[in-house]
């Protein structure tokens, strides 16, 4: 009887031993290293956010993360009535913009804001076209929650939209950036 119980336990003990031994092995040195995006380093300064500007049938949604030399932004202009030549934001209709490079990342005169620029691709829904464009962004973390407090300005090739968030949040993770200038004005509500 005892022999049967021991025989039943051996496969489980063997599997546990093999897993424990495998965990002690050092990782494969040829394996790619994971990128480090640590906010604990004093010299790391980054800003992240996502949200919405505007409401009704003309609004923009966005998401981004940026720091010196790397980051992304996704900006979607929603024009529920399609192309509207009389609208400042919907003159070209709905589009998505994906920026995948970050250059000139820096603090602005306001310590709560960061500005950056880069290149990305705009895809226009109604026109069925796409183009590569340069963009610039200024984002400000002016408090919690971000709705009704934080601001953002996004520009590229004839399109500019800025204002206070109607939804979402922008979060600044302070470090030590260098100063540069940008086309966007900082929207500060007092």
């Amino acid at each position: 009887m005892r022999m049967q119980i021991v025989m039943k336990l051996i496969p489980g003990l063997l599997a546990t031993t093999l897993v424990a031994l495998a965990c002690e092995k050092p990782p494969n040195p040829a394996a790619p290293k994971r990128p480090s995006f640590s906010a604990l380093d004093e010299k790391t300064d980054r800003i992240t956010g996502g949200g919405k500007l505007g409401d009704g049938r003309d609004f923009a949604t966005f998401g981004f993360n940026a720091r010196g030399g790397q980051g992304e932004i996704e900006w979607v202009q929603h024009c529920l009535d399609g192309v509207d030549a009389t609208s400042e934001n919907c003159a070209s209709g709905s589009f998505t913009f994906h920026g995948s490079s970050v250059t000139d990342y820096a603090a602005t005169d306001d310590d709560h804001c960061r500005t950056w620029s880069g290149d990305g691709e705009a895809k226009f829904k109604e026109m069925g076209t796409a183009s590569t464009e340069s963009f610039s962004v200024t984002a400000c973390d002016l408090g919690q929650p971000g709705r009704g407090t934080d601001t953002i300005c996004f520009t590229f090739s004839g399109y500019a939209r800025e204002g206070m968030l109607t939804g979402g949040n922008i979060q600044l993770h302070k470090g030590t950036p260098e100063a540069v200038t940008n086309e966007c004005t900082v929207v500060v509500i007092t």
Side-chain angles (χ1 to χ4, degrees), residues 3 18 27 42-43 49 53 71 87 114 143 148 167:
M3 184 66 141
L18 291 174
E42 289 180 356
K43 297 192 186 258
L53 281 183
S87 169
R114 296 296 180 265

Side-chain angles (χ1 to χ4, degrees), residues 17-188:
T17 303
L18 291 174
V19 168
L21 288 174
C23 290
E24 289 181 12
K25 277 186 158 183
N28 179 353
K33 304 273 189 252
R34 287 189 173 174
S36 174
F37 203 75
S38 172
L40 300 175
D41 181 359
E42 289 180 356
K43 297 192 186 258
T44 299
D45 186 275
R46 65 185 172 114
I47 191 163
T48 59
K52 179 181 176 185
L53 281 183
D55 52 17
R57 302 189 62 77
D58 165 13
F59 62 94
T61 54
F62 65 91
F64 66 83
N65 68 73
R67 70 177 187 173
Q70 70 184 86
E72 294 185 74
I73 185 166
E74 187 75 21
W75 187 276
V76 181
Q77 174 61 52
H78 302 269
C79 299
L80 301 182
D81 294 326
V83 175
D84 180 358
T86 64
S87 169
E88 183 179 337
N89 300 313
C90 292
S92 298
S94 298
F95 67 85
T96 61
F97 184 93
H98 180 76
S100 56
S101 69
V102 170
T103 58
D104 297 328
Y105 176 86
T108 64
D109 292 338
D110 183 338
D111 191 40
H112 302 284
C113 302
R114 296 296 180 265
T115 185
W116 69 97
S117 58
D119 296 312
E121 182 179 37
K123 294 181 182 177
F124 297 90
K125 181 180 174 185
E126 285 85 3
M127 294 184 211
T129 61
S131 61
T132 300
E133 306 284 346
S134 294
F135 71 91
S136 63
V137 180
T138 298
C140 299
D141 179 7
L142 300 172
Q144 302 298 329
R147 181 178 185 261
T149 306
D150 295 346
T151 61
I152 189 166
C153 172
F154 175 75
T155 64
F156 81 92
S157 185
Y159 174 86
R161 186 153 194 174
E162 66 182 309
M164 190 177 296
L165 273 57
T166 55
N169 190 38
I170 293 173
Q171 189 69 51
L172 175 62
H173 311 272
K174 289 187 178 183
T176 54
E178 58 186 63
V180 299
T181 59
N182 192 313
E183 298 171 18
C184 294
T185 59
V186 177
V187 179
V188 178

